[in-house]
Amino acid sequence: MTKVELAERVMVALDVPDADAALRLARQFEGIPCWMKIGMELFYAAGPSVVREVKALGVRVFLDLKLHDIPNTVRGASRSVTRLGVDMFNVHAAGGSAMMRAAVEGAAEGAAGKGRLPLIIGVTQLTSTDERMLNGEIGIPGSIDDAVVRYARMAHSAGLHGVVASAREAAAVKSACGSGFLTITPGIRPAGADAADQARVVTPRDALADGSDYLVIGRPITAAPDPRSALERILAELA
Ligand code: C5P
């Protein structure tokens, strides 16, 4: 893979508290064709305008709001986020098939007349959970792999384009749903980096080797003294 192709598979999580900080950070990656991920911290503080401002930098945006509500509400939310012009957004697969189908319908309505549909991704089991939490606290029996694959099959048959999961589950997702079904994998930690609250971590190189399509990387880049060099180091490590 070329450096450009590698960069196009990295999503930098802009987990910062306001639009100024987000734009300052995003501008540091100018010329590197990575995606920008806007999540709850930034969106709830800065609102839809920050999405438009980041898009105006000419980058692809994954809006990570993890929609999870009744189908009618998710249909409307999906219509709204699609109108913002995002390239990808996500919903919790735990919301069920009807909710995910409603997301697909809402996105189609939001895109009506002006072209491109965003990719719609299902969140499976958060990468901050491990099997003990899943079985004990949350009360879902079986392995993390089983839970992730079950959510992935639901997302696939509801018409979603892929799922968020740990790279550790990417191969199982691909074998259940086909190689074209996307896997977006957070919990990426270069060797020696702090896992923080992530439980199922994988190095960037292993994530790609395991079949992950997009690597979501936050703190290892954004909390580094020089985020651009941190990203470049990761890309060099992958090349
Ligand atoms: O800083 P770090 O690399 O842990 O950031 C991971 C990013 O991916 C965060 O923005 C987090 O919200 C997001 N994410 C996640 N696990 C999921 C879905 C999204 O960690 N299942």
Side-chain angles (χ1 to χ4, degrees):
M1 247 186 291
T2 64
K3 195 176 164 196
V4 166
E5 286 164 342
L6 284 172
E8 285 172 340
R9 293 175 62 174
V10 171
M11 300 176 147
V12 178
L14 297 179
D15 292 328
V16 291
D18 57 57
D20 283 352
L23 291 166
R24 246 191 337 267
L25 185 57
R27 286 199 188 98
Q28 293 193 40
F29 308 116
E30 204 187 328
I32 303 177
C34 55
W35 287 60
M36 295 294 141
K37 184 177 84 69
I38 296 178
M40 296 184 194
E41 179 182 359
L42 179 59
F43 189 83
Y44 292 154
S49 62
V50 76
V51 176
R52 298 191 194 97
E53 285 163 351
V54 172
K55 275 300 297 173
L57 300 175
V59 298
R60 272 172 279 202
V61 169
F62 169 24
L63 187 58
D64 177 19
L65 296 182
K66 301 184 175 68
L67 307 180
H68 191 174
D69 210 314
I70 59 171
N72 188 55
T73 300
V74 167
R75 178 185 292 108
S78 300
R79 194 188 303 131
S80 297
V81 299
T82 300
R83 285 184 182 145
L84 281 177
V86 301
D87 302 278
M88 178 186 286
F89 72 91
N90 57 2
V91 301
H92 267 288
S97 302
M99 191 207 78
M100 289 190 275
R101 283 195 302 272
V104 174
E105 289 161 14
E109 291 160 13
K114 39 186 164 71
R116 250 171 19 95
L117 270 177
L119 295 168
I120 311 175
I121 303 298
V123 178
T124 59
Q125 198 59 50
L126 295 174
T127 44
S128 54
T129 54
D130 59 20
E131 197 165 304
R132 254 182 66 200
M133 288 164 71
L134 182 75
N135 301 158
E137 197 173 42
I138 303 174
I140 297 178
S143 67
I144 292 261
D145 255 46
D146 294 341
V148 168
V149 167
R150 195 168 50 242
Y151 284 135
R153 286 188 198 278
M154 278 166 60
H156 184 241
S157 52
L160 267 54
H161 303 98
V163 286
V164 185
S166 157
R168 298 185 191 186
E169 295 108 34
V173 168
K174 296 276 184 186
S175 77
C177 302
S179 60
F181 192 64
L182 301 172
T183 51
I184 288 84
T185 63
I188 303 295
R189 291 294 179 267
D194 183 9
D197 56 350
Q198 297 285 15
R200 308 195 319 274
V201 300
V202 176
T203 65
R205 181 182 280 277
D206 287 347
L208 282 189
D210 290 345
S212 156
D213 294 289
Y214 293 100
L215 316 186
V216 174
I217 313 181
R219 287 160 292 183
I221 293 174
T222 57
D226 179 352
R228 186 184 177 96
S229 335
L231 172 57
E232 280 178 336
R233 259 197 314 278
I234 291 170
L235 294 175
E237 199 182 296
L238 289 173

